Amino acid sequence: PTSFMEKVVAVGHLFKEYYSTLKVRAFRKHLAIYLFSFTAKDVYNTVFVFFCVYCLNVSSSLSGTLLSMSIVGLPVTLLAGVAIIKYGPSRLYVFAYTLMLLCLGGLFMVYQFPTDNKVTILLVLAALYQVGRCVLEFTPWNVFPFIPDVDRIMTRGDRAGIYAAVMTFFRKSTGAVASWIAGILLAEIGYNSKLMHTAATTPADVQFGIAMIFFVGPVILMLGALFLAFSFKLNRQTHGVLKDEITRLEEGGDKAKVTPQTRLVVEELTGHPYETLWPQTPRI
């Protein structure tokens, strides 16, 4: 049987492997964009019903209908598949965040300036938000297959599994934390589910607090992801340059004969000087 110390060593080795993935610049940015994006979505989904019922004064059933507008994602996914090939992931990220931020701004304006056609506006904003959300969810996992090749030129290893594990581990962790923090913030602003059942029974300062949690949290996270997306260089073209260089080196090519363009692309993606890449013996 495996001893306790062997288990501790195995866990320690696993986390050492997890940490090693963060040495890859492209993956650091990819992971940060992924976590910021999905945590923003978690906060939105957690607080949305509270915002609708207590701030917008609409029924919980309508808020459920607005969330169900995610059905628009089916055709959007097909279009996103074409767009990521033509325009690259960076532009898709910018499109998704810009659209979602505009929709969040629109929802906040509906809260600040109620109108008679509020339901129609909410339906339109919810549908557009779901278009952006679908693109946001589609893009990271379609960029992910490029990541192991960046690691390969650094280590000469095949570690696709460890990168998928890191993404899944952090995603599950941030998802739980986002919901937990949202619950704490709702309690801090004075929300009490036993006393507050509708907008009429909810004090104005609590309504404003709910609106701030709903709006500020996702906006800050999306702006952070948007900032990173502008400098995210891993796409179909740069991956092609990387793959060609890996093939050349695998066939015994001389590292000293790397072209300036290839050197620039590889160093940008890895975050390391070219001379330190493709070691004589694989680093696992």
Side-chain angles (χ1 to χ4, degrees):
T2 304
S3 68
F4 175 74
M5 285 307 299
E6 287 175 329
K7 291 180 181 178
V8 171
V9 170
V11 171
H13 177 72
L14 177 63
F15 278 94
K16 183 179 179 182
E17 286 274 276
Y18 280 11
Y19 175 75
S20 70
T21 64
L22 301 180
K23 296 179 181 179
V24 182
R25 176 187 286 167
F27 183 67
R28 289 198 302 270
K29 289 188 178 183
H30 175 74
L31 185 63
I33 291 171
Y34 176 66
L35 295 179
F36 284 171
S37 304
F38 279 68
T39 304
K41 185 193 72 168
D42 290 336
V43 175
Y44 177 95
N45 289 341
T46 300
V47 187
F48 184 73
V49 174
F50 294 92
F51 178 73
C52 287
V53 174
Y54 300 107
C55 298
L56 299 182
N57 195 25
V58 299
S59 66
S60 58
S61 60
L62 177 60
S63 65
T65 299
L66 296 174
L67 287 174
S68 70
M69 296 298 288
S70 59
I71 194 172
V72 303
L74 295 175
V76 171
T77 300
L78 298 176
L79 294 174
V82 176
I84 197 170
I85 295 172
K86 186 174 182 179
Y87 300 110
S90 182
R91 291 189 181 182
L92 259 66
Y93 280 133
V94 172
F95 168 78
Y97 299 134
T98 302
L99 184 57
M100 293 170 76
L101 287 168
L102 288 173
C103 290
L104 280 168
L107 289 169
F108 193 75
M109 293 301 289
V110 172
Y111 161 66
Q112 288 289 344
F113 307 102
T115 62
D116 294 334
N117 56 346
K118 176 168 58 179
V119 173
T120 302
I121 295 174
L122 290 176
L123 287 169
V124 172
L125 289 174
L128 291 174
Y129 176 88
Q130 294 299 337
V131 170
R133 180 198 61 80
C134 178
V135 175
L136 178 149
E137 291 182 349
F138 168 88
T139 307
W141 285 106
N142 282 272
V143 173
F144 173 76
F146 298 160
I147 298 291
D149 287 326
V150 185
D151 178 84
R152 177 157 176 73
I153 202 168
M154 292 176 60
T155 65
R156 296 182 68 176
D158 185 4
R159 305 197 305 160
I162 195 70
Y163 282 88
V166 169
M167 286 184 65
T168 303
F169 172 79
F170 280 106
R171 167 65 189 129
K172 290 184 180 296
S173 301
T174 56
V177 169
S179 299
W180 176 63
I181 291 177
I184 291 175
L185 291 175
L186 287 171
E188 286 295 318
I189 63 173
Y191 171 73
N192 189 325
S193 60
K194 296 180 180 179
L195 301 176
M196 303 171 192
H197 304 288
T198 64
T201 59
T202 305
D205 59 333
V206 176
Q207 290 184 14
F208 184 74
I210 292 172
M212 287 295 98
I213 296 170
F214 174 76
F215 183 73
V216 174
V219 165
I220 291 175
L221 289 166
M222 286 186 200
L223 286 176
L226 181 60
F227 174 77
L228 291 170
F230 278 118
S231 61
F232 189 67
K233 303 299 184 183
L234 183 56
N235 53 46
R236 192 178 184 88
Q237 289 72 37
T238 56
H239 179 252
V241 173
L242 176 70
K243 282 289 289 181
D244 289 344
E245 181 63 7
I246 291 174
T247 301
R248 187 182 75 84
L249 295 172
E250 286 177 333
E251 294 174 351
D254 188 351
K255 287 177 64 175
K257 294 183 179 179
V258 62
T259 66
Q261 179 193 8
T262 298
R263 173 190 287 270
L264 186 65
V265 169
V266 171
E267 290 185 343
E268 170 63 34
L269 296 180
T270 62
H272 296 273
Y274 182 85
E275 288 72 20
T276 65
L277 307 178
W278 199 255
Q280 288 293 323
T281 56
R283 294 196 299 259
I284 305 299

